[in-house]
Amino acid sequence: MKISIVTLSFNQNAYLREAMDSILSQGYPDLEYIVLDPGSADGSRELIKSYGERIAHVIFETDRGAADGLNKGFARATGEIFGFVNADDLLFPGSLRLVGEFFESHAECDILMGNGYIIDAKGRRIRHCRARDFTARRFFYGGSRWLQQSTFFRAQIFHNSPKFNPENRTCWDGELFVNLATLGARIEYINADLAGFRIHDASISGSGKMNEQYGQDQRRIFRQVHRHEWRTTDELLRIFYRAEGFIKSLNERFQAQRESAGR
């Protein structure tokens, strides 16, 4: 199956080569790689140009933010399966082969979520994330675990969706997957580590500079899905799902320790 991967680059030269190499070195036979840069001033564009024809489409034009840029990238994509990897993140070796094989053998799957690691600025693995329990309901209450970098979806469901919301500047990925789930997309999970999500001082997640806007975006999406403001019952559900997630995480660690001890 043809897989299209989009990378949006903006002044991330320190990590960009590692990100692009992690995708282009997959060895996947039918990969379409698309890279966008709306106007970096740190040498990123020169680096992108140096890859020549290894990148199927290079888009150097301004956009209204990351969500708008991703929409432009996927408008050029011709693959059956879509994924997007930020310029400071990376795919682990062999990930696309696993993704392609899974979609080939699971025709009912619309969205595939895999595992991965939170990594630091130097690429060191900080914390493991095992994808589970993604629904529109659980998303808001912290009852699911997932990594955008380890998530892939069929082109058809994306084209039939509202796509990325250009007005969302903090969690455009979460809004997309909530919308897809609300529309009935079928989500499956693969127990494999597919990608690394890098958190560093300049990233949205690492800097905390967009936390207030993130909260506003989350509340807006919540209202759209649930048709009401956050209530006491919603807070109680959040506490329940967080506690459930903590117990599941402890169980996963215990099982991992047992498996490691048995080797």
Side-chain angles (χ1 to χ4, degrees):
M1 302 187 77
K2 186 174 185 178
I3 300 178
S4 298
I5 302 294
V6 173
T7 291
L8 184 62
S9 162
F10 186 64
N11 290 330
Q12 295 284 356
N13 195 358
Y15 310 109
L16 180 58
R17 183 183 295 277
E18 185 178 11
M20 293 194 296
D21 286 349
S22 77
I23 296 164
L24 292 171
S25 65
Q26 288 285 312
Y28 190 76
D30 204 356
L31 167 66
E32 178 182 53
Y33 190 32
I34 301 167
V35 181
L36 301 92
D37 191 303
S40 292
D42 64 347
S44 292
R45 286 191 165 193
E46 289 71 23
L47 176 59
I48 293 167
K49 290 177 182 177
S50 73
Y51 280 73
E53 295 183 356
R54 297 180 67 194
I55 301 175
H57 304 289
V58 174
I59 303 174
F60 287 159
E61 60 183 58
T62 58
D63 57 43
R64 294 189 290 145
D68 183 46
L70 288 169
N71 283 335
K72 290 183 178 182
F74 284 119
R76 300 284 294 274
T78 60
E80 299 166 83
I81 307 301
F82 286 175
F84 56 108
V85 178
N86 301 320
D88 50 357
D89 299 325
L90 51 88
L91 289 184
F92 295 149
S95 294
L96 294 187
R97 176 183 60 80
L98 293 174
V99 170
E101 290 175 351
F102 192 96
F103 275 106
E104 284 274 16
S105 60
H106 294 77
E108 76 285 356
C109 176
D110 296 315
I111 301 173
L112 175 63
M113 292 186 168
N115 308 332
Y117 281 87
I118 310 296
I119 61 176
D120 66 12
K122 295 183 178 180
R124 294 174 296 204
R125 296 182 178 187
I126 302 172
R127 186 170 70 255
H128 187 251
C129 178
R130 181 168 183 166
R132 58 168 173 80
D133 303 330
F134 188 97
T135 66
R137 178 186 180 89
R138 284 177 169 270
F139 172 81
F140 298 105
Y141 301 131
S144 61
R145 293 179 68 189
W146 61 289
L147 286 180
Q148 166 259 300
Q149 299 78 5
S150 296
T151 301
F152 300 83
F153 45 99
R154 292 190 187 273
Q156 182 178 358
I157 64 161
F158 177 77
H159 291 311
N160 291 337
S161 78
K163 304 181 178 60
F164 294 97
N165 179 3
E167 304 306 319
N168 189 331
R169 300 305 177 93
T170 63
C171 53
W172 51 86
D173 50 356
E175 182 168 7
L176 172 70
F177 296 129
V178 165
N179 284 337
L180 293 178
T182 302
L183 291 171
R186 293 158 296 185
I187 302 172
E188 300 283 345
Y189 302 89
I190 181 171
N191 187 21
D193 297 324
L194 302 181
F197 169 34
R198 195 188 307 268
I199 295 181
H200 53 92
D201 291 342
S203 66
I204 292 177
S205 300
S207 67
K209 60 185 178 181
M210 299 290 285
N211 285 353
E212 183 176 351
Q213 181 62 50
Y214 177 81
Q216 294 175 6
D217 285 329
Q218 288 282 91
R219 289 190 292 274
R220 174 184 54 77
I221 303 168
F222 178 86
R223 289 193 298 270
Q224 290 176 354
V225 173
H226 293 276
R227 305 297 182 184
H228 63 77
E229 297 289 346
W230 189 268
R231 300 169 178 168
T232 301
T233 52
D234 296 307
E235 184 61 24
L236 292 173
L237 284 168
R238 186 189 70 83
I239 294 171
F240 170 79
Y241 282 122
R242 290 293 177 93
E244 178 197 56
F246 178 72
I247 294 170
K248 286 188 175 183
S249 295
L250 287 179
N251 185 51
E252 289 172 6
R253 292 179 190 175
F254 177 69
Q255 289 181 345
Q257 289 173 353
R258 287 187 60 184
E259 291 174 1
S260 178
R263 292 187 183 128

